[in-house]
Amino acid sequence: MAEFGFNEHHQNEVINYMRFARSKRALRLKTIDSCFEELKESRLVEETFTVDEVREMLDGLQVVVRGEVEMELINTAHTNVLLLRQLFSQAEKFYLRLQSDISELENRELLEQVAKFEKTDFKTADKTSQETSKPKLAPLNEGGVSELLNKEIARLQEENDKLKARLRTLESQAMSALDERSRAERALKDLQKVQGEQQLAAQSQEINSLEDTVAALKEDYQRSLSANAASQKDLQENLISAKHELLRVQEQLSLAEKELEKKFQQTAAYRNMKEILTKKNEQIKEIRKRLQRYEPNE
């Protein structure tokens, strides 16, 4: 295949495809032969046939053979499309655009060369495969587009490695900042939890005291009601006053809670925590901007 300008690797690829095509062609020819054999065994059982009978048999055979040939031609075309798909996919990985000259597919000289090579039954294939295992010097004229493409690929690979290293560094910094932020948030939550528990304990104690007072007033009211119905109105007023007092105390507790929370926010510990969280948020925003600058698609 030297006249086609192929190297050893591509020559082996062509040989493999020609073997595949020859096996498919042989299988289809066997199918066509079986059609004729079936006609001989099933229809040619009499000694004489009329013209109409012969015409009918030939028409039926024509339909079967035509279908087999058409199927093989369609399958061959589709197989060639799949082969071209593989070649184009490999070329697109290197940003190449392959072109084909359809007129060369009917070049009789090249077709005769291919037929001549196929008649040799690929005897030179084994010899070629043995020669490819021997070390060879690199060609002196391998340059031009191929050399530039290799250099560009190497440069892009090096730049990609640098960007990946930079990305790993930024990711490490981002994770450290996130960890510090999480620790600060947990510390702030723990501090708020302690303060809240103390406030809730004081509020619960006062509410319990007020509830005990209300319960005592209810008991006094019931005793007074049974002892003297005339004092019922006074007891009801006392009960209403106690309820109003309870509502007032609850309101004062709510105001005291808000005041305590306000005082807590003014403490140095709260301001330090808030300042730390603000700084960490700014660091995370800056790191995200830098990540977007190096990896805009992610």
Side-chain angles (χ1 to χ4, degrees):
M1 298 289 285
E3 59 271 15
F4 294 102
F6 291 159
N7 56 28
E8 290 83 358
H9 174 75
H10 290 161
Q11 180 174 335
N12 291 330
E13 293 295 323
V14 172
I15 291 173
N16 291 333
Y17 178 74
M18 293 179 69
R19 285 175 176 170
F20 167 76
R22 186 171 63 177
S23 65
K24 299 292 288 185
R25 183 171 64 250
L27 181 62
R28 190 59 61 184
L29 290 176
K30 288 182 181 179
T31 304
I32 294 175
D33 292 339
S34 66
C35 294
F36 283 90
E37 292 297 329
E38 182 180 0
L39 177 65
K40 293 177 183 179
E41 294 176 359
S42 61
R43 300 294 301 274
L44 300 181
V45 294
E46 300 178 5
E47 295 182 357
T48 59
F49 293 93
T50 63
V51 175
D52 294 335
E53 291 175 341
V54 173
R55 182 178 291 107
E56 180 185 358
M57 288 187 291
L58 291 178
D59 290 341
L61 181 61
Q62 179 185 4
V63 172
V64 176
V65 174
R66 177 184 176 86
E68 292 293 336
V69 173
E70 183 180 10
M71 184 182 300
E72 176 61 21
L73 293 175
I74 293 174
N75 184 65
T76 301
H78 293 173
T79 303
N80 291 333
V81 172
L82 293 180
L83 180 62
L84 291 174
R85 177 179 177 272
Q86 295 181 14
L87 297 177
F88 292 157
S89 298
Q90 295 178 16
E92 289 177 359
K93 291 181 180 179
F94 296 95
Y95 304 99
L96 299 178
R97 294 184 178 180
L98 302 183
Q99 294 181 349
S100 59
D101 188 358
I102 303 300
S103 62
E104 287 295 322
L105 299 179
E106 297 181 353
N107 190 321
R108 300 305 305 174
E109 182 179 356
L110 295 178
L111 291 175
E112 290 176 359
Q113 292 178 4
V114 174
K116 181 179 179 181
F117 177 77
E118 187 177 10
K119 289 180 181 179
T120 61
D121 199 20
F122 312 121
K123 293 181 179 180
T124 60
D126 296 335
K127 181 178 179 181
T128 303
S129 61
Q130 294 177 359
E131 292 179 353
T132 54
S133 61
K134 299 179 181 179
K136 295 184 178 181
L137 297 176
L140 297 177
N141 59 349
E142 185 179 0
V145 177
S146 178
E147 184 177 358
L148 292 176
L149 181 60
N150 291 331
K151 289 182 179 180
E152 182 65 17
I153 292 173
R155 185 187 67 80
L156 292 175
Q157 185 66 35
E158 182 180 359
E159 185 176 353
N160 190 31
D161 293 338
K162 291 180 180 179
L163 291 175
K164 287 181 178 179
R166 181 60 177 171
L167 179 60
R168 288 193 293 267
T169 302
L170 292 175
E171 288 178 349
S172 177
Q173 294 177 358
M175 293 301 297
S176 299
L178 288 174
D179 291 339
E180 292 180 4
R181 178 185 176 182
S182 299
R183 288 194 294 269
E185 288 179 347
R186 286 195 297 269
L188 181 59
K189 288 181 180 179
D190 293 340
L191 183 59
Q192 291 177 347
K193 183 178 180 181
V194 171
Q195 294 290 338
E197 288 177 352
Q198 293 176 354
Q199 294 175 4
L200 288 175
Q203 292 174 4
S204 298
Q205 184 177 0
E206 189 168 357
I207 290 173
N208 290 332
S209 177
L210 291 172
E211 288 178 349
D212 293 338
T213 302
V214 172
L217 290 173
K218 285 183 178 180
E219 291 178 359
D220 293 340
Y221 172 73
Q222 293 295 335
R223 287 195 300 268
S224 299
L225 182 62
S226 61
N228 189 4
S231 62
Q232 181 178 3
K233 183 176 181 180
D234 295 335
L235 292 175
Q236 288 180 348
E237 292 178 354
N238 292 332
L239 181 59
I240 293 173
S241 299
K243 289 184 178 179
H244 289 170
E245 182 66 16
L246 176 61
L247 294 174
R248 186 183 63 80
V249 173
Q250 287 180 345
E251 184 178 0
Q252 290 179 355
L253 287 175
S254 178
L255 293 175
E257 181 182 357
K258 293 180 179 179
E259 183 66 21
L260 183 59
E261 183 177 358
K262 182 178 180 182
K263 290 180 179 180
F264 170 72
Q265 292 179 357
Q266 294 175 356
T267 59
Y270 179 82
R271 290 196 300 269
N272 291 336
M273 288 294 177
K274 187 173 182 180
E275 185 177 354
I276 291 173
L277 289 176
T278 302
K279 290 182 179 180
K280 294 304 177 183
N281 288 332
E282 293 296 330
Q283 290 179 0
I284 291 173
K285 289 180 180 179
E286 181 62 24
I287 290 173
R288 286 177 177 172
K289 289 180 180 179
R290 295 166 68 184
L291 286 173
Q292 287 293 330
R293 189 181 306 132
Y294 288 102
E295 296 290 340
N297 293 329
E298 294 186 359

